[in-house]
Amino acid sequence: MDMAKGLLRGLAGAAVVSATLLALAGCQDDDGKTGANGAKDGRNPVIAPGKPGERARTLSPEQAARERPDDTPNAADQTYVRGMIEHHRQALTMSALAPDRASAEAVKGLAERIAAAQRPEIGAMEKWLARYPAPSGAAGTGGTGATGGTGGTGGHDHAAMPGMATEQQLKELADARGADFDRLFLKLMTAHHEGALKMAGQALAGGNNVAVEEMATEVVATQTAEIHRMRALG
């Protein structure tokens, strides 16, 4: 499962997690054993699985509803998704230079894979933003569009995000050719991926939304592997 698919699945994750208790419903008799006639009031009790080593609990539907996990996105989730969209867009800009400038086929192939993975991921993250718009007036929440532009930075300094190449570095990459391009591309993209890992770690530590957690986890897995590959190529 690539990250885009994982995020799309994660958009439904909140509903899945929230419904876990209700999905494990069963009927019990007066002795507390599962029975075929249901609860006395005609409603099925809800069986909530316990933690490892703990027994399951029997809850009323009202209790189960109160205990549903709340994965409402918080500021860390919003910051991560909006920042990662910009982070991915720069990776696409850098990767688009490779076909005409790189000399090593391995570098061209790597750039192609990065673009093929991160372009749909941007679309998936934009869908997340459409589903979970930031509170009105929140800082750093300038809107984004599918074409790659931003509707305003809201004071958020994208250049300050971990791993982002500077304008000068991007110019140097665009001006490079052959083996020089290969070396600079691998250097900048490795730093770019390392920055993404830091951002993902922050989201995993401070976020609350299931979809964002899945996305950040996938970033850690895929971009760690690509960092190893780029270091081997370098």
Side-chain angles (χ1 to χ4, degrees):
M1 178 189 70
D2 59 27
M3 192 177 77
K5 292 180 180 178
L7 177 55
L8 291 174
R9 180 170 67 85
L11 290 176
V16 173
V17 172
S18 298
T20 299
L21 298 177
L22 298 177
L24 296 172
C27 297
Q28 295 186 335
D29 58 23
D30 292 339
D31 294 327
K33 298 178 181 179
T34 301
N37 296 325
K40 290 181 179 180
D41 61 2
R43 298 180 303 165
N44 290 338
V46 177
I47 309 303
K51 297 179 181 178
E54 297 180 357
R55 298 183 62 181
R57 295 181 298 145
T58 301
L59 307 176
S60 69
E62 292 79 12
Q63 287 175 311
R66 287 195 298 269
E67 294 193 16
R68 287 183 306 179
D70 178 10
D71 79 332
T72 302
N74 61 17
D77 296 316
Q78 289 282 345
T79 297
Y80 177 76
V81 174
R82 291 177 180 277
M84 191 57 72
I85 287 174
E86 297 305 315
H87 213 264
H88 273 24
R89 284 177 179 151
Q90 188 178 83
L92 295 186
T93 297
M94 295 164 64
S95 297
L97 299 173
D100 297 330
R101 293 167 174 80
S103 60
E105 290 301 319
V107 172
K108 292 181 181 180
L110 172 67
E112 182 179 0
R113 286 193 295 273
I114 289 173
Q118 296 196 16
R119 188 173 291 109
E121 289 167 9
I122 290 173
M125 287 186 286
E126 288 176 335
K127 289 181 180 179
W128 185 93
L129 287 178
R131 179 172 179 174
Y132 299 111
S136 178
T141 55
T144 59
T147 60
T150 58
T153 62
H156 186 71
D157 185 3
H158 296 301
M161 287 188 293
M164 291 286 278
T166 65
E167 290 298 322
Q168 179 61 32
Q169 288 173 324
L170 292 176
K171 183 180 183 303
E172 291 174 359
L173 184 65
D175 291 340
R177 295 291 188 280
D180 290 339
F181 176 89
D182 294 345
R183 285 191 294 269
L184 187 55
F185 178 84
L186 292 173
K187 176 184 177 181
L188 295 179
M189 192 62 77
T190 297
H192 202 265
H193 277 29
E194 289 172 341
L197 296 187
K198 292 180 181 179
M199 294 169 66
Q202 292 168 350
L204 291 171
N208 189 60
N209 183 255
V210 171
V212 174
E213 180 181 353
E214 289 195 1
M215 177 175 65
T217 299
E218 191 71 15
V219 162
V220 171
T222 59
Q223 298 207 18
T224 296
E226 289 181 345
I227 287 172
H228 291 319
R229 188 175 301 117
M230 287 187 287
R231 287 175 176 168
L233 290 174

